[in-house]
Amino acid sequence: MLVVREIAVSGYRSLRRISVPVDDLSVFVGGNGTGKTNLYRGLELLQAAALGTLTRDLAAEGGMDSALWAGRRRHGEAARIRLSATLHDDGTGQAFTYAVEVGLVQQAGGDTYGAAFRKEPQVKAERLSVRTGGRTAVILDRDGRSGFARDEDGRKRPLGLDLLPTETALGTFLDATRHPEIALARLAMTGWRFHHDFRTDAESPLRRPCLAVTTPTLASDGSDLATVFATLAHIRQDMGDLDAALDGAFPGAQLVVPEPGREASFGVTFPDFPGRTFAAPELSDGTLRYLALTGALLAYRLPPFIALNEPESSLHPDLMEPLARMIARAAERTQIWLVTHSERLADGIAAHGGARPRTVIKRDGETWIDGLKLSGEFADAEDEDS
């Protein structure tokens, strides 16, 4: 399994240029407007490159005019968004580094824009390299529409003219037999899971029954929460962690998961109302959101990487402690990346999971992390290693 060890983002919104080491449990805390969400969004865009939706996702958030670094650029500096991730295979010792650059359409010869609309983002460059021991091999290299990808025998194969400027090569080369290293990197990145907007309104999918299909991992929007619970209750037949997490947050409460028929559903009983099961549509926003987080963090099978953006939203402050315990417990099974407003939550995770919270700050309009060196290491890392 490939684990994330570093991400770097430059030219994106408030991220002028930053490289961040990634631990098994990474916690970033800061106030409004510091750019925490932009760090989180950088991870989402890297996954979008693997999925092949990077330029569409940038267009959807307002296009390059909105997404590009808003501060001053050096004279002659290209307006580019650069994203990279380094992933490590602890079993083989290999390190995979993927990097992609996105820029504006360049007008050529008057009104000609090539195979792109005038305002849409374009992929300018991509590279995937694999380091084994002291040797680095470039597996994928792209500059504009030209470049190569190595096949299973290590031979360079041209990318081909069918690759559009709005497509990533990483998301296009789908033949795992011919391009195993590309497939391995893409599979690792597409497996990441992001949770930042569990809807709890009356029409929320969290409040509705869902088709009864064995579901080991929660969807990003929580739409299959009932089947995640049913999988634990009736397939794995082990709800110990769920019961403990619910009781820690709401003492005496119990999760009720009926045997599914065509659909799966769930409810909660509370000690103040014995004999009464509150169905999902009746639960408060905070209770439902907390349950969604239990589904994300305690599911039968966790994804290789989970990113949480302000999970404390709409939760009572008293829930920070049980939430911190749950996050620390999940970090024993997978990588967790968390951005939060709540110092109480960050401190709780530090106490239960041993992760040192990192403070996100603004420095001359640029998002930065307190203690982060330009080299991409934290100043206190040497003290921890010694």
Side-chain angles (χ1 to χ4, degrees):
M1 183 178 71
L2 297 182
V3 296
V4 187
R5 287 303 175 215
E6 182 180 70
I7 67 157
V9 184
S10 64
Y12 177 68
R13 295 189 180 273
S14 64
L15 302 176
R16 174 70 181 88
R17 187 184 304 275
I18 192 168
S19 178
V20 185
V22 182
D23 296 322
D24 292 339
L25 177 54
S26 300
V27 181
F28 302 92
V29 61
N32 289 326
T34 56
K36 302 185 309 300
T37 299
N38 291 338
L39 287 168
Y40 175 91
R41 182 64 178 146
L43 283 163
E44 283 191 308
L45 291 174
L46 278 162
Q47 186 187 63
L51 291 168
T53 63
L54 175 58
T55 57
R56 179 176 292 274
D57 283 18
L58 285 169
E61 66 174 70
M64 295 297 285
D65 290 343
S66 174
L68 281 167
W69 160 251
R72 291 182 178 180
R73 285 189 290 271
R74 298 184 184 91
H75 179 70
E77 182 181 0
R80 298 278 179 91
I81 294 172
R82 297 175 174 87
L83 309 160
S84 74
T86 297
L87 304 98
H88 194 266
D89 187 329
D90 291 338
T92 65
Q94 289 181 310
F96 290 67
T97 299
Y98 172 74
V100 60
E101 294 186 15
V102 183
L104 301 165
V105 174
Q106 290 185 346
Q107 186 171 353
D111 295 328
T112 302
Y113 289 90
F117 300 117
R118 185 169 62 89
K119 289 284 190 179
E120 68 180 339
Q122 281 193 321
V123 178
K124 301 296 185 180
E126 278 180 278
R127 174 173 283 202
L128 173 65
S129 61
V130 181
R131 184 173 181 82
T132 305
R135 179 178 175 271
T136 298
V138 177
I139 304 301
L140 170 67
D141 196 12
R142 172 192 188 175
D143 185 2
R145 295 180 67 182
S146 65
F148 68 86
R150 294 189 187 273
D151 63 16
E152 71 277 18
D153 297 321
R155 292 175 295 186
K156 293 181 180 180
R157 300 289 187 182
L159 295 183
L161 296 178
D162 289 338
L163 185 64
L164 294 174
T166 51
E167 296 176 319
T168 57
L170 183 63
T172 303
F173 282 79
L174 303 178
D175 189 338
T177 301
R178 294 192 65 188
H179 305 284
E181 291 92 351
I182 296 174
L184 184 60
R186 183 179 59 250
L187 181 64
M189 295 168 67
T190 56
W192 299 350
R193 198 58 55 92
F194 297 86
H195 297 293
H196 61 271
D197 189 23
F198 287 125
R199 286 178 48 199
T200 56
D201 58 88
E203 300 302 317
S204 166
L206 296 176
R207 298 189 182 276
R208 297 180 178 180
C210 52
L211 293 176
V213 178
T214 301
T215 306
T217 305
L218 186 72
S220 288
D221 64 356
S223 56
D224 49 9
L225 180 61
T227 51
V228 167
F229 288 158
T231 298
L232 287 169
H234 301 288
I235 302 297
R236 187 175 184 175
Q237 297 184 345
D238 181 1
M239 290 184 55
D241 287 344
L242 274 178
D243 290 339
L246 188 61
D247 184 69
F250 309 101
Q254 288 189 323
L255 186 64
V256 178
V257 185
E259 176 78 33
R262 181 176 178 274
E263 294 183 323
S265 62
F266 67 90
V268 178
T269 63
F270 297 95
D272 292 342
F273 303 94
R276 168 86 155 87
T277 299
F278 291 82
E282 302 175 276
L283 298 174
S284 71
D285 290 353
T287 301
L288 191 62
R289 184 176 179 86
Y290 184 84
L291 286 171
L293 288 166
T294 68
L297 296 167
L298 302 176
Y300 185 96
R301 180 190 306 133
L302 296 185
F305 183 90
I306 297 176
L308 302 171
N309 186 19
E310 299 177 9
E312 72 277 5
S313 296
S314 81
L315 298 184
H316 191 278
D318 289 347
L319 295 181
M320 296 305 100
E321 182 69 15
L323 178 58
R325 289 197 300 267
M326 188 162 56
I327 291 171
R329 179 67 179 271
E332 297 173 2
R333 299 170 59 195
T334 188
Q335 270 191 290
I336 304 275
W337 167 289
L338 168 75
V339 295
T340 178
H341 285 298
S342 173
E343 293 188 6
R344 184 172 177 179
L345 176 60
D347 291 342
I349 294 172
H352 294 287
R356 178 177 298 186
R358 303 295 182 179
T359 302
V360 182
I361 59 175
K362 266 290 184 67
R363 190 176 66 178
D364 298 325
E366 175 183 353
T367 293
W368 198 251
I369 301 172
D370 193 30
L372 182 66
K373 299 191 292 186
L374 292 176
S375 60
E377 300 173 339
F378 286 108
D380 53 29
E382 295 179 359
D383 297 335
E384 293 175 353
D385 293 337
S386 61

